[in-house]
Every structure is written in structure tokens, then in C-alpha cells.
Amino acid sequence: GVEGVDEDLSEAQRRLREKVRVQPPESECPERPSWATGAFVFLEPNLVEHAKKVIEQRGIVLQSKHVLVSDALKPMVKELLDAKPQGSGREAFLKRRAGVVEKE
């Protein structure tokens, strides 16, 4: 996934990481900031504070299975989700099987 070390990422994964690196650095993994309690966050910097506020106001509890994606980054995230997983065996099988669930 995109949370790996830079050297192990594909070009598309690196491009997405660069987009989220501009978020306030709150953890070692820019894609999973500490405030998101394990969820992936792919938002422009100007949307982060608003998203945090809405999540708090609505009492939403994020988990590692959640992904927050802005409209602008959605095509890039979909490209990565549609890509054939690297590796073999169980990990690649589970990644392929997971698929994409959209909630708009």
C-alpha cells in the first residue's frame, strides 16, 4: 500500500503521497494521520480542518477500513485501487478481493 517506504512505492503511489505530505505532519505515515485513528486520508490541506470538525461534530468513529478522499484526489486513488497488487500469495489475493466501496 501507499504506507510503505518511498523506495518501495510505485510512481503512482509516490505521486499520491506527495499530495498528502502537505497535510500537517502528525504522524510518520502521512496517509494515516493520528487524528484519523488508522483511516487513510487523501485530502487537500484546505479540507483537513473541515473534515476533522465534521467528524467530531457528527461523532463519527473512523477505523483502519475507512478512506477519506477528496474529489480532486479520487481519480488518483481509484487508479491505485484498480492497479494489480504487487506481490504474490495471500496478500495480493486479499488486496484484489477487497475491491472498492464508494460512498458519496
Side-chain angles (χ1 to χ4, degrees), residues 7-99:
E7 305 81 57
D8 295 338
L9 300 179
S10 69
E11 184 58 37
Q13 289 170 323
R14 280 192 215 96
R15 285 193 327 264
L16 185 57
R17 174 169 277 178
E18 288 306 312
K19 297 285 186 184
V20 297
R21 270 216 173 122
V22 295
Q23 295 180 33
E26 296 183 14
S27 66
E28 286 184 28
C29 182
E31 302 86 4
R32 291 183 181 240
S34 57
W35 63 266
T37 58
F40 282 102
V41 178
F42 302 107
L43 301 172
E44 285 82 18
N46 61 317
L47 299 176
V48 172
E49 289 304 316
H50 179 68
K52 288 165 65 172
K53 185 176 180 180
V54 169
I55 289 165
E56 183 181 328
Q57 287 175 340
R58 295 186 182 179
I60 297 169
V61 178
L62 295 175
Q63 299 175 15
S64 60
K65 63 183 177 182
H66 294 121
V67 182
L68 303 178
V69 183
S70 67
D71 287 338
L73 296 178
K74 188 184 276 188
M76 195 179 291
V77 171
K78 280 186 156 193
E79 174 189 346
L80 289 170
L81 289 172
D82 291 340
K84 181 179 177 191
Q86 296 178 347
S88 60
R90 181 169 174 73
E91 183 178 341
F93 167 76
L94 290 173
K95 287 179 184 177
R96 279 191 301 271
R97 193 176 121 210

